[in-house]
Amino acid sequence: MKRGFYTIMSAQFFSSLADNALFVVAVDLMRSSGAPEWQRAALVPIFAVFYVVLAPLVGAFADALPKGRVMFVSNAMKVVGCLMMLFGSHPLLSYSIVGLGAAAYSPAKYGILTELLPASQLVKANGWIEGLTISSILLGIVLGGTLVGHAVSSRLLAFDMPFVDTGVNTPAEAAIAVLIFVYALAAWFNTRIPHTGVEMRPLRSNPEQSMARNIAALLPDFWHCNSRLWRDRLGQISLATTTLFWGAGGNLKYIVLAWASLALGYNTTQASALTGVVTIGTAVGAIVASMYMRLDMATRVIPMGIAMGLMVIGMNFIGNIWLAVPFLVILGGLGGFLVVPMNALLQHRGHNLMGAGRSIAVQNFNEQACILLLGGFYSVCTGLGLSAYGAISAFGLVVAGCMWLIKRWHENNLKKYPEEVEHLLAIARSDKHH
């Protein structure tokens, strides 16, 4: 790997670490201030919604500037959100600013891989990035819980700066102050990311029009990029697969919590540990895929998506922790092995069709919309009176059924457009066209 790749990994690790720790801290802050349950639950969708709403803007923004600078600006937005939360703004408003920074960060984070590395290294790079991201999620949750815990928070609150009243008086506020420094460390790594030499694509703007009109002018370009990826014979398959995977994965943590409560009698703390088991499996699957898969082999992993959906249904038949742990590790491993080559193939096609930042923004838009859609579907199932077991079965059937349709879609492409698909696979095998 090029040296700049390790700098990108370091920046991504610390930024994601702080994101996940801040979520735990924000929940604790709202709980300690007496915020209602619905507000604490709203932290998740308010973070995801900017990926959907701002997709036309953040993709073009990521392609208009060097990716390292975009990542630096995005981390600065996250610091602003932390400062707002620290000095009294409503946590939902403050966390939405952090979500804005994350939405802007993602197209640059993944987009720079296609600019920095040849096609032959994209699967390996995605494996390491996904594995590192998953590790940062686990460690971030642990870090957030540790910072607001009595043992650490008491030491943080005992620290005083001479002649300065910091206004930090609660464990959550002390934790936020620490996380600001973690974001600052990520921003420092952003400044060390090399310029890839890829030509920038300036934002189209008319100085005679208002900012709102200029932003609205980006919408046709975004929908054009979206339609180009959905029409591409390999792009459509990889986009459909990753969209469904992240839509299912984004809701799986809630499903595991509900299932663990019913099947194992676990409380929230114990059930949360089981979501970590799934995450560990995903990290292992991602790293294994990075070692053995190539870009042109990506479509071979589609059957694993069908298996994932069926395994979700299989959770209903497990009532023993000794069976649950290996089962969830395998479930996560299938997901990690599925998403890494498909993610790399999608980035490769997007980079060739429209530019790295725009393609990642299209990907984020579809994936986050799927998270909201499948989350709504699961909520409707439970609202209609289905038990958690019934809702889990319905969810698993939808995932397995959609993956089967994607498999049939790809097989139909191979029959109807064999020359076109083979040409795109030949491009994936070569670094010359990347």
Side-chain angles (χ1 to χ4, degrees):
M1 290 294 181
K2 294 182 180 179
R3 186 177 179 181
F5 176 69
Y6 301 104
T7 308
I8 295 167
M9 286 206 304
S10 300
Q12 163 59 9
F13 175 79
F14 287 108
S15 184
S16 179
L17 181 78
D19 284 348
N20 289 280
L22 184 62
F23 174 76
V24 177
V25 173
V27 170
D28 185 80
L29 178 65
M30 296 178 76
R31 183 182 290 118
S32 62
S33 63
E37 176 66 26
W38 72 266
Q39 289 191 7
R40 298 200 294 270
L43 284 169
V44 175
I46 205 167
F47 192 85
V49 74
F50 279 110
Y51 282 90
V52 178
V53 175
L54 296 181
L57 177 61
V58 295
F61 177 61
D63 282 338
L65 298 170
K67 300 294 189 291
R69 191 185 306 174
V70 174
M71 294 162 78
F72 178 84
V73 171
S74 302
N75 268 321
M77 292 180 192
K78 296 179 181 181
V79 171
V80 170
C82 284
L83 289 171
M84 290 172 61
M85 197 178 298
L86 188 61
F87 293 110
S89 292
H90 195 286
L92 280 178
L93 174 62
S94 306
Y95 199 60
S96 70
I97 301 300
V98 178
L100 171 62
Y105 192 93
S106 184
K109 171 185 71 176
Y110 285 108
I112 196 173
L113 296 181
T114 55
E115 294 183 358
L116 187 71
L117 302 172
S120 58
Q121 291 186 326
L122 278 181
V123 174
K124 184 183 292 185
N126 269 273
W128 283 106
I129 287 288
E130 292 297 340
L132 196 71
T133 300
I134 292 163
S135 301
S136 69
I137 291 171
L138 279 173
L139 293 174
I141 292 171
V142 172
L143 175 63
T146 303
L147 288 175
V148 296
H150 176 73
V152 174
S153 63
S154 59
R155 292 179 179 272
L156 292 174
L157 291 171
F159 177 78
D160 269 329
M161 293 182 66
F163 311 111
V164 177
D165 181 11
T166 60
V168 176
N169 301 310
T170 67
E173 290 173 345
I176 293 169
V178 171
L179 294 179
I180 288 174
F181 286 101
V182 180
Y183 279 127
L185 179 60
W188 179 80
F189 276 110
N190 294 150
T191 64
R192 315 305 297 174
I193 293 174
H195 196 297
T196 60
V198 173
E199 183 181 355
M200 300 295 101
R201 304 186 181 193
L203 289 168
R204 299 173 185 174
S205 61
N206 187 342
E208 297 180 0
Q209 293 181 345
S210 65
M211 182 181 296
R213 285 180 174 272
N214 282 321
I215 291 174
L218 294 171
L219 290 173
D221 177 65
F222 174 78
W223 288 116
H224 174 67
C225 293
N226 192 47
S227 62
R228 286 195 72 184
L229 260 180
W230 279 114
R231 288 197 305 266
D232 187 84
R233 302 300 173 193
L234 287 182
Q236 60 191 203
I237 302 302
S238 55
L239 181 55
T241 303
T242 56
T243 294
L244 185 61
F245 170 82
W246 288 114
N251 290 284
L252 191 60
K253 54 186 175 183
Y254 302 108
I255 292 173
V256 170
L257 289 175
W259 166 78
S261 175
L262 272 180
L264 304 175
Y266 275 13
N267 59 31
T268 302
T269 302
Q270 293 169 317
S272 297
L274 283 181
T275 65
V277 170
V278 179
T279 307
I280 291 170
T282 307
V284 172
I287 293 173
V288 172
S290 72
M291 296 168 63
Y292 294 103
M293 294 298 293
R294 299 193 312 269
L295 205 58
D296 59 312
M297 298 165 57
T299 54
R300 299 181 188 178
V301 302
I302 295 175
M304 291 185 177
I306 301 174
M308 273 186 63
L310 297 176
M311 285 191 72
V312 169
I313 301 172
M315 290 167 60
N316 291 332
F317 303 98
I318 295 179
N320 186 302
I321 185 62
W322 299 106
L323 288 175
V325 169
F327 183 88
L328 293 176
V329 169
I330 294 171
L331 178 61
L334 285 175
F337 200 93
L338 168 78
V339 75
V340 164
M342 279 296 185
N343 223 23
L345 180 61
L346 180 57
Q347 291 168 16
H348 172 71
R349 294 306 309 144
H351 178 70
N352 279 272
L353 289 170
M354 67 200 65
R358 283 171 168 82
S359 70
I360 300 300
V362 168
Q363 182 179 352
N364 285 339
F365 171 81
N366 286 278
E367 289 171 359
Q368 298 298 324
C370 189
I371 288 175
L372 297 175
L373 182 64
L374 286 181
F377 172 76
Y378 184 78
S379 298
V380 168
C381 286
T382 55
L384 291 175
L386 279 178
S387 67
Y389 289 131
I392 287 170
S393 298
F395 187 88
L397 283 173
V398 168
V399 172
C402 289
M403 277 295 181
W404 180 80
L405 290 174
I406 293 171
K407 180 175 178 292
R408 294 288 298 164
W409 190 1
H410 180 57
E411 291 170 349
N412 185 61
N413 283 347
L414 290 175
K415 290 179 181 178
K416 286 189 174 181
Y417 314 101
E419 293 181 359
E420 183 179 352
V421 173
E422 181 54 38
H423 172 67
L424 295 178
L425 288 173
I427 293 175
R429 295 186 191 104
S430 173
D431 291 341
K432 293 180 181 179
H433 303 282
H434 185 71

